[in-house]
Amino acid sequence: MDRLNIYIRYLYILLIICIPNKNIKASLGEGQYMFNSIIISGTTNINKFQITYKSEFFTHFTINDSEKDSIVLSIPVDKFTADSKLMLSDFLELINAKKHPYIKIIIQDKINTDFFDLNAESKKEILVGVNGKTNSYFCNTELQEAYKDKWYFSGKLIIKLTDFDLEPPEKFLGLVKVKDDVTISFKILFVLEN
């Protein structure tokens, strides 16, 4: 009878461990991230424009209690695409892409078990680095479990070009004027390797 009780207890413990629960925080370990999409959109006095980026590969990172309180994500500006090659060329010139070939997105939150808690605070401090200058923004974000140990982290924030010492350009003798406000929408896939 004692062996049967011990067997039932072990079986019960195994069931608790193996049954997935979305409210259980992710284990510490290693992981990778990939930009599912970055969309930079803005307007002029006559139309809208949109520039996009999507990663072609994953980037590795380590998760542990001694990690810094942020994770830096780099976007190579030469990998952006747009419907208009002229508009893309103008955008790369505007942000001084030759001198600053990456846009940085820095999540000011330790990437640990709490980060992947579906009940965690959704407002995050996001730093954006463009043209060699970094500014802080508070952004409503969303965390979705894609499937086991895979998470989508998404958000949208509005920046001003002048925040980065960039003067909104004018084209065709001032007939086309780019507005100062630009929206950055991001969706990042995190994959945990426990």
Side-chain angles (χ1 to χ4, degrees):
M1 187 67 176
D2 287 333
R3 282 186 170 173
L4 181 59
N5 284 338
I6 292 170
Y7 176 77
I8 290 172
R9 285 181 188 165
Y10 281 128
L11 183 60
Y12 177 74
I13 291 169
L14 281 173
L15 285 173
I16 289 174
I17 292 171
C18 294
I19 294 174
N21 182 345
K22 290 186 178 181
N23 293 322
I24 294 176
K25 297 177 182 180
S27 302
L28 295 178
E30 296 185 350
Q32 300 178 69
Y33 72 86
M34 180 173 74
F35 285 103
N36 190 61
S37 67
I38 292 283
I39 301 170
I40 298 175
S41 55
T43 58
T44 71
N45 58 321
I46 58 171
N47 64 4
K48 297 179 180 179
F49 65 89
Q50 184 170 292
I51 296 159
T52 60
Y53 170 72
K54 183 174 182 173
S55 296
E56 297 174 359
F57 53 85
F58 282 93
T59 301
H60 181 267
F61 67 93
T62 302
I63 309 166
N64 59 53
D65 286 330
S66 63
E67 278 292 302
K68 294 180 180 178
D69 289 338
S70 61
I71 183 169
V72 179
L73 312 174
S74 296
I75 305 164
V77 295
D78 63 346
K79 300 294 183 188
F80 275 111
T81 60
D83 290 336
S84 165
K85 288 185 179 181
L86 180 60
M87 180 193 58
L88 179 59
S89 175
D90 287 346
F91 173 77
L92 295 177
E93 183 181 334
L94 171 68
I95 64 170
N96 296 312
K98 287 184 180 178
K99 187 175 180 183
H100 305 285
Y102 292 93
I103 290 177
K104 303 280 187 189
I105 292 186
I106 303 164
I107 303 167
Q108 285 291 93
D109 196 351
K110 186 183 284 189
I111 304 297
N112 60 14
T113 56
D114 293 333
F115 186 87
F116 295 101
D117 180 3
L118 292 174
N119 298 316
E121 174 65 44
S122 65
K123 195 161 202 131
K124 305 276 185 205
E125 184 180 6
I126 307 288
L127 277 66
V128 178
V130 178
N131 190 35
K133 188 167 183 178
T134 302
N135 290 300
S136 173
Y137 302 89
F138 283 92
C139 174
N140 287 320
T141 60
E142 185 177 353
L143 184 67
Q144 295 175 307
E145 188 174 25
Y147 25 94
K148 187 179 185 309
D149 295 331
K150 294 175 177 64
W151 306 83
Y152 282 116
F153 177 70
S154 57
K156 181 187 290 188
L157 53 96
I158 297 173
I159 66 170
K160 290 187 178 296
L161 293 172
T162 50
D163 290 345
F164 299 93
D165 298 330
L166 301 172
E167 191 62 37
E170 296 182 6
K171 295 290 180 181
F172 307 112
L173 301 174
L175 292 175
V176 179
K177 299 177 182 177
V178 174
K179 296 189 177 175
D180 196 15
D181 289 347
V182 173
T183 301
I184 300 177
S185 304
F186 57 88
K187 189 172 187 180
I188 305 164
L189 176 62
F190 285 98
V191 179
L192 302 183
E193 303 163 357
N194 297 318

